[in-house]
């Protein structure tokens, strides 16, 4: 772990701070500091390995606003996402386990950040920050709320209603069913979310299976009949059935209206 700074390291931080730069790219320092490409590459490598700057991708580095004297530095999760996705001129929203924790559905704090976005898919690292990027179509981004970090970075999270919807829609990725059903029931009873909002996000961001499951759940919770009909009108007649809890055998009481097999009971 790097604890002391040489002349080139100090020059890099002074240059970035004097110009108010949060990122540096390969080639930025050759003229500014009068060094060769090889020297620049080694400088970036030393500082990123010493956890004093963070590599966003090959050739792009995040620089701390303040020099981490005698210690290490890590960007915030929001800064890491804003830089990585912003550099691609994309959009994102933090979702899944991070959103479940944000709204109090799950006490476990994830050790990585899950984000829907319209640019990248797969695992990424920005310094020590681990990211799971889920690429989706532009139309599946939305229903969000913003949060500002202490250092002024603006992060984008899925809204409460969208998070509940994704707990049903993306159950296989997040392992969120049947827990998400109970989250929805509780939030409805405590007026944290409305039936109307759940129907709205389901129609806009859900698929057929999600509409069926959400319709069945809301019917069981005695939701407004007009809202249920909005969901029902989007479904085509079918004889196929889906399980209420996907991870359990498809055996139980059949609800023909929604095409759901209620397999909740053993």
């Amino acid at each position: 772990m790097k604890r002391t700074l040489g002349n080139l390291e100090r020059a890099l931080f002074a240059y970035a701070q004097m110009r108010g730069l949060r990122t540096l790219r390969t080639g930025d320092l050759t003229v500014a500091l009068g060094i060769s490409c090889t020297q620049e590459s080694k400088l970036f490598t030393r500082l990123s390995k010493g956890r004093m700057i963070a590599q966003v991708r090959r050739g792009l580095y995040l620089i701390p606003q303040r020099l981490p004297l005698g210690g290490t530095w890590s960007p915030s999760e929001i800064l890491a996402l804003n830089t990585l996705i912003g550099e691609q001129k994309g959009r994102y929203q933090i979702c899944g386990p991070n959103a479940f924790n944000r709204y109090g559905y799950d006490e476990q704090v994830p050790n990585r950040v899950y984000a829907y976005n319209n640019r990248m898919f797969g695992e990424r690292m920005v310094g020590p920050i681990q990211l799971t990027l889920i690429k989706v179509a532009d139309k599946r981004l939305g229903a969000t709320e913003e949060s500002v970090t202490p250092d002024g970075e603006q992060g984008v999270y899925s809204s409460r209603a969208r998070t509940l919807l994704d707990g049903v829609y993306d159950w296989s990725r997040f392992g969120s069913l049947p827990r998400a059903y109970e989250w929805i029931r509780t939030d409805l009873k405590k007026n944290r979310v409305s039936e109307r909002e759940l129907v709205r996000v389901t129609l806009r961001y859900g698929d057929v299976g999600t509409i069926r499951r959400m319709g069945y759940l809301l019917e069981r919770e005695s939701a407004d009949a007009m809202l249920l009909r909005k969901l029902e009108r989007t479904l085509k007649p079918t004889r196929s059935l889906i399980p209420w809890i996907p991870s359990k055998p498809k055996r139980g009481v059949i609800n023909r209206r929604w095409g759901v097999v209620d397999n909740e009971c053993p």
Side-chain angles (χ1 to χ4, degrees):
M1 183 181 297
K2 188 171 182 61
R3 294 291 181 182
T4 60
L5 297 176
N7 291 335
L8 281 182
E9 285 87 348
R10 287 195 293 269
L12 177 149
F13 286 115
Y15 172 76
Q17 290 170 6
M18 183 170 60
R19 287 162 176 75
L21 301 175
R22 295 306 307 272
T23 59
L24 287 173
R25 299 170 186 270
T26 298
D28 285 348
L29 301 178
T30 53
V31 174
L33 303 187
I35 59 178
S36 68
C37 293
T38 300
Q39 286 176 305
E40 181 192 56
S41 177
K42 290 180 178 179
L43 175 59
F44 281 137
T45 298
R46 285 198 303 272
L47 288 174
S48 59
K49 285 185 175 179
R51 298 260 313 261
M52 303 192 82
I53 65 175
Q55 185 176 30
V56 179
R57 60 162 177 76
R58 187 174 181 179
L60 178 64
Y61 300 86
L62 264 171
I63 312 300
Q65 289 179 313
R66 295 178 181 83
L67 192 64
L69 292 174
T72 60
W73 174 79
S74 171
S76 68
E77 296 173 346
I78 300 299
L79 177 58
L81 267 174
N82 283 348
T83 305
L84 181 63
I85 303 300
E87 197 258 345
Q88 297 286 321
K89 302 187 185 309
R91 296 164 53 209
Y92 76 87
Q93 61 195 71
I94 298 174
C95 62
N98 306 91
F100 299 158
N101 178 261
R102 174 180 174 83
Y103 297 113
Y105 304 134
D106 194 333
E107 294 182 357
Q108 184 174 352
V109 179
N111 60 6
R112 61 177 54 247
V113 183
Y114 293 79
Y116 291 137
N117 77 100
N118 60 351
R119 288 293 183 270
M120 300 174 154
F121 180 84
E123 308 297 321
R124 296 287 192 281
M125 294 283 292
V126 176
I129 304 298
Q130 301 179 69
L131 305 173
T132 296
L133 301 175
I134 306 161
K135 188 176 180 181
V136 298
D138 287 343
K139 66 181 181 180
R140 291 218 68 250
L141 291 173
T144 60
E145 61 180 46
E146 296 175 350
S147 176
V148 179
T149 65
D151 59 356
E153 287 293 319
Q154 186 167 282
V156 182
Y157 288 82
S158 291
S159 69
R160 180 181 287 271
R162 175 63 190 271
T163 296
L164 291 171
L165 181 277
D166 287 333
V168 179
Y169 174 89
D170 228 346
W171 61 268
S172 60
R173 188 190 308 275
F174 301 138
S176 46
L177 284 183
R179 294 181 300 154
Y181 295 143
E182 190 56 40
W183 300 340
I184 294 170
R185 293 187 187 105
T186 300
D187 273 12
L188 285 172
K189 289 175 183 176
K190 294 186 176 181
N191 295 316
R192 292 173 178 160
V193 69
S194 69
E195 297 170 356
R196 187 174 300 278
E197 181 65 7
L198 284 174
V199 169
R200 188 188 73 81
V201 296
T202 299
L203 290 175
R204 184 160 184 178
Y205 304 107
D207 57 7
V208 171
T210 306
I211 293 171
R212 288 185 182 186
R213 292 186 173 105
M214 190 67 77
Y216 182 55
L217 172 61
L218 291 175
E219 183 179 58
R220 289 176 57 173
E221 296 300 306
S222 302
D224 181 88
M226 289 184 63
L227 293 175
L228 293 177
R229 282 197 291 273
K230 279 187 176 182
L231 292 175
E232 190 176 17
R233 281 197 295 266
T234 67
L235 299 174
K236 297 179 180 179
T238 180
R239 293 184 179 181
S240 66
L241 301 171
I242 62 172
W244 173 240
I245 300 176
S247 59
K248 296 180 65 175
K250 196 165 65 176
R251 294 193 298 268
V253 178
I254 295 175
N255 181 284
R256 292 291 180 186
R257 180 181 187 183
W258 302 106
V260 170
V261 179
D262 189 340
N263 59 347
E264 189 165 16
C265 296

